[in-house]
Amino acid sequence: MKNLKLYLSIMLLLIVVSCKKKDEVTPEETKIDLTKHFITWEAPTKTYAGNRIFNWPVLVLFENEGKIKIYSFASNATPTQGSYTLTNDQLTITTSDQILGFTIKDGSVIDTKGFTSEIQNVKLRELPSTNQFTGNYSGMLNSYMVNTAFPFSYSFNQTQFGEGYNGQPQLDYVLNPINNVFAISSINNVLRYFLMVDGKLTIVRLKSGGTNAESLLYGTLSKDQ
């Protein structure tokens, strides 16, 4: 009799546990808010001389109502407009001339499709809550046209920047950061793209009417210690 009671008690417990598991709903993976993120990648391109590779930076900013802006650090400061959808782990970006696909898992881009040329270093990044344009940066900017480089220095104080060839530059120009990581400046026939990620400053500098060597300069500068 005792064994029968024990058996019935165990069976009842198993039934209760089984019912509880059926009633439990597996929580869905939290859907990422892309308006708080951005995507960057690089498009490798041979320089004009053909003996080096210039990695064109590309930046995607996500806006409300499923809209996006794509900035390619080329000669046109106007971004490409488009839209996006995110279904489960599949991100689709649509513009007037292309449809790009990204597979996102655990906060990283693990696969892409729709690109007609090679890309690399595709990263989904979280937008910082504070302005990243502070401090001093210096290093060499490479020429796209010829095999040479020039020493440049930059200073930032969130709303202004300075540019110099040697020594400490003065804060002469207005800076209007976009989403705390990106800025475009067009002053005196010089168009500058600034991207601040991973503690480094990526610059593309285009000068209208400049010499062949300095018409397009690019590089990534480290923060001065």
Side-chain angles (χ1 to χ4, degrees):
M1 189 66 178
K2 289 183 177 179
N3 290 338
L4 179 59
K5 288 182 177 180
L6 179 60
Y7 175 77
L8 291 175
S9 298
I10 293 174
M11 290 300 295
L12 180 60
L13 179 61
L14 290 175
I15 292 172
V16 171
V17 171
S18 177
C19 291
K20 185 177 180 181
K21 286 185 176 180
K22 289 181 180 179
D23 291 338
E24 290 178 350
V25 178
T26 302
E28 295 183 1
E29 183 178 349
T30 303
K31 189 173 182 179
I32 188 170
D33 183 357
L34 287 175
T35 62
K36 297 180 180 178
H37 294 74
F38 64 107
I39 288 180
T40 59
W41 70 77
E42 296 171 351
T45 305
K46 280 190 176 182
T47 58
Y48 186 80
N51 58 347
R52 288 174 293 121
I53 296 296
F54 169 40
N55 293 323
W56 280 107
V58 179
L59 170 74
V60 180
L61 296 177
F62 299 91
E63 301 181 335
N64 294 323
E65 301 179 351
K67 297 179 181 179
I68 57 101
K69 289 181 179 178
I70 301 177
Y71 293 89
S72 177
F73 289 25
S75 58
N76 188 355
T78 303
T80 299
Q81 306 277 349
S83 61
Y84 75 90
T85 59
L86 179 62
T87 304
N88 297 325
D89 60 354
Q90 298 299 311
L91 168 64
T92 301
I93 291 177
T94 304
T95 68
S96 61
D97 60 355
Q98 60 183 345
I99 299 177
L100 306 176
F102 303 81
T103 300
I104 299 174
K105 186 174 180 61
D106 298 328
S108 298
V109 176
I110 62 172
D111 192 24
T112 62
K113 60 183 179 180
F115 289 88
T116 57
S117 57
E118 179 188 358
I119 63 168
Q120 62 185 24
N121 297 331
V122 186
K123 292 184 179 181
L124 176 66
R125 304 173 183 272
E126 188 173 354
L127 287 170
S129 59
T130 58
N131 191 330
Q132 301 298 292
F133 288 95
T134 61
N136 303 315
Y137 295 79
S138 59
M140 304 297 289
L141 294 186
N142 300 299
S143 171
Y144 177 79
M145 301 300 293
V146 298
N147 189 20
T148 190
F150 301 90
F152 270 81
S153 297
Y154 289 87
S155 290
F156 298 91
N157 72 348
Q158 297 190 347
T159 59
Q160 294 175 298
F161 78 94
E163 177 186 79
Y165 292 99
N166 289 292
Q168 189 70 27
Q170 300 296 315
L171 295 170
D172 296 327
Y173 306 122
V174 174
L175 182 74
N176 295 306
I178 301 172
N179 292 32
N180 292 325
V181 295
F182 175 61
I184 301 174
S185 169
S186 181
I187 301 172
N188 298 331
N189 296 322
V190 178
L191 177 64
R192 303 172 181 86
Y193 291 92
F194 298 122
L195 178 64
M196 194 78 74
V197 293
D198 300 329
K200 295 184 178 181
L201 174 67
T202 295
I203 298 173
V204 174
R205 185 181 190 275
L206 301 108
K207 184 175 182 179
S208 300
T211 64
N212 189 45
E214 64 178 0
S215 60
L216 198 167
L217 304 176
Y218 65 95
T220 298
L221 310 184
S222 297
K223 195 170 188 176
D224 296 345
Q225 299 299 320

